[in-house]
Amino acid sequence: MQVMSSLVVLGLCFLFLVVKPDRAYGSSRGSLGRNNGAAAPAVDGICAISVTPYGYKCQEHEVQTDDGYILSMQRIPEGRAGGSMGGQKKQPVLIQHGIFADGFTWLMNSPEQNLPMILADNGFDVWIANTRGTQFSRKHVFLDPARPEYWDWSWDELVTYDLPSVFGFVFNHTGQKIHYIGHSLGTLIGLTSFSEGHQAEQLKSATFLCPIAYVSHLKTKLVRLAAKAFVGDHEPQSTATKNLVHLAQSVRDGVIQKYDYGEEGNRKHYGEAKPPVYNISNIPRDLPIFISHGGLDPLSDVEDVGLLLELLKQHDETKLSVQFLKDYAHLDFIMGVNAKDLVYNQIVQFFSKYQQ
């Protein structure tokens, strides 16, 4: 690694504040064989590790992005009791993890306490996404993850390639519009992608847990100092570098925009001196949205969530629900033992309002 600077401090802060370390820094054990989108055997995958031992059906899938990354997805098509939703087709739900996490993060609690299995038991067709570079999504059609070229991406590429690819995959398999759930970075890529209109014909509703569209009011001084000190003038390396650089730019600049390559680089990439801004207010005003955030969350700061809500002030108020839990922190939304009662049941009720 070339950069042993404030970016390292920033990365360590995110590691401490967000979730367990991303296994992108470990071995590539458990990568699945290619099968051109068909269900693959659940060997050494998330299904075999965390789902089927509890009596749930689970499928391993792979999705290829337009820029050649091969992503793993897990599908829990039904709950342990099976059945359907009153004779209706099961509604698909796509769950997107945050930074320093993968799909396994959602399954760390017991079946009675984790979101994917709760949704499956409530009659939903659950799909779990894993972004590029995570343990089970570390393949490419020709790039080697041991080489820097593989890691030359930030969350811009997750917006442009990963999320549209997994949406298209789920939509093609189910033929139905999709409920989206994002946590942390998963909210950022959802908000920006939906504002760009990428999933306009495939999206049924959106749930944002701990939204981090704005991160300019971070309460953690160490993170803020590291972000302000970092200038981002080195060659891209891994997700811990370029992706964190992009997040650091958001902290420093206080805007939601594409990756800043500097004036010369921006002209090359975007044809202008400054990177384009994502206009969150372009999200369709009639899209059902559920936002849940906590008062003890140093990353999804209350003031920053307020800025996001200000952008959504023209949204159809009957389609926007906001939940505030004053004693909840960032990890509580995916690992809290009372998250089922406080958050997940609310999500199920929210989805039930928008069934076919």
Side-chain angles (χ1 to χ4, degrees):
M1 295 289 287
Q2 289 182 338
V3 181
M4 294 296 292
S5 65
S6 58
L7 181 62
V8 176
V9 178
L10 178 63
L12 291 174
C13 291
F14 271 99
L15 280 172
F16 177 73
L17 291 170
V18 187
V19 289
K20 63 184 178 61
D22 187 344
R23 285 169 290 185
Y25 300 105
S27 70
S28 57
R29 177 185 64 82
S31 59
L32 303 172
R34 291 180 201 166
N35 58 359
N36 297 318
V43 178
D44 292 331
I46 291 176
C47 282
I49 296 170
S50 301
V51 183
T52 56
Y54 294 101
Y56 292 81
K57 294 179 180 178
C58 190
Q59 303 167 2
E60 295 279 358
H61 293 272
E62 286 188 334
V63 182
Q64 182 175 315
T65 67
D66 287 345
D67 60 345
Y69 287 81
I70 300 172
L71 315 177
S72 76
M73 289 189 72
Q74 291 73 44
R75 181 187 192 182
I76 307 176
E78 60 185 40
R80 280 182 288 194
S84 62
M85 301 180 66
Q88 298 179 352
K89 289 185 177 180
K90 292 178 180 291
Q91 287 285 299
V93 180
L94 175 62
I95 307 180
Q96 175 64 58
H97 61 80
I99 196 169
F100 296 118
D102 61 8
F104 173 75
T105 307
W106 296 102
L107 299 160
M108 295 179 71
N109 280 351
S110 69
E112 294 75 26
Q113 294 177 336
N114 74 63
L115 181 57
M117 292 180 181
I118 288 171
L119 289 172
D121 284 335
N122 276 276
F124 293 94
D125 180 3
V126 180
W127 297 75
I128 303 173
N130 297 267
T131 57
R132 61 183 65 191
T134 52
Q135 180 179 5
F136 299 101
S137 294
R138 193 128 16 123
K139 294 196 300 183
H140 191 278
V141 294
F142 61 87
L143 292 177
D144 185 345
R147 302 291 300 168
E149 293 81 8
Y150 175 92
W151 302 97
D152 185 11
W153 52 269
S154 78
W155 56 264
D156 276 336
E157 282 69 33
L158 307 185
V159 171
T160 304
Y161 298 110
D162 286 30
L163 203 59
S165 295
V166 296
F167 256 91
F169 189 86
V170 174
F171 185 78
N172 288 337
H173 272 70
T174 65
Q176 299 186 76
K177 289 190 174 183
I178 300 158
H179 293 297
Y180 177 79
I181 300 175
H183 175 257
S184 190
L185 185 66
T187 68
L188 179 59
I189 65 175
L191 287 162
T192 51
S193 189
F194 304 155
S195 74
E196 298 273 284
H198 291 308
Q199 286 79 41
E201 302 302 319
Q202 301 170 340
L203 181 63
K204 193 174 188 68
S205 75
T207 293
F208 302 117
L209 306 178
C210 311
I212 59 167
Y214 286 101
V215 286
S216 56
H217 290 88
L218 283 176
K219 292 293 193 298
T220 309
K221 293 182 179 179
L222 188 59
V223 175
R224 288 186 56 81
L225 289 173
K228 288 183 177 180
F230 186 71
V231 295
D233 54 354
H234 59 77
E235 62 176 318
Q237 296 175 46
S238 74
T239 184
T241 301
K242 191 172 183 180
N243 206 19
L244 277 177
V245 171
H246 199 175
L247 289 170
Q249 291 171 353
S250 299
V251 176
R252 183 187 58 207
D253 300 332
V255 292
I256 310 170
Q257 62 184 16
K258 293 181 182 290
Y259 189 89
D260 190 346
Y261 292 91
E263 183 173 346
E264 182 177 349
N266 289 337
R267 291 191 185 281
K268 178 180 178 181
H269 282 83
Y270 312 121
E272 50 189 321
K274 293 185 178 180
V277 173
Y278 289 104
N279 189 353
I280 303 301
S281 61
N282 282 340
I283 292 176
R285 296 177 182 177
D286 61 349
L287 174 68
I289 295 176
F290 176 70
I291 293 174
S292 187
H293 64 117
L296 300 180
D297 190 339
L299 295 180
S300 182
D301 182 84
V302 173
E303 293 181 68
D304 286 327
V305 175
L307 294 175
L308 170 62
L309 294 176
E310 182 67 18
L311 287 180
L312 298 173
K313 65 181 180 181
Q314 299 299 323
H315 207 82
D316 183 342
E317 62 182 15
T318 67
K319 298 293 182 65
L320 178 62
S321 301
V322 180
Q323 179 189 44
F324 175 66
L325 301 172
K326 67 183 181 67
D327 296 323
Y328 248 47
H330 208 71
L331 282 179
D332 293 330
F333 288 86
I334 53 174
M335 297 178 65
V337 294
N338 60 354
K340 176 183 179 180
D341 295 329
L342 298 182
V343 183
Y344 302 161
N345 287 345
Q346 301 300 315
I347 295 174
V348 171
Q349 292 177 19
F350 171 71
F351 288 165
S352 67
K353 293 166 54 178
Y354 301 102
Q355 297 303 325
Q356 291 179 332

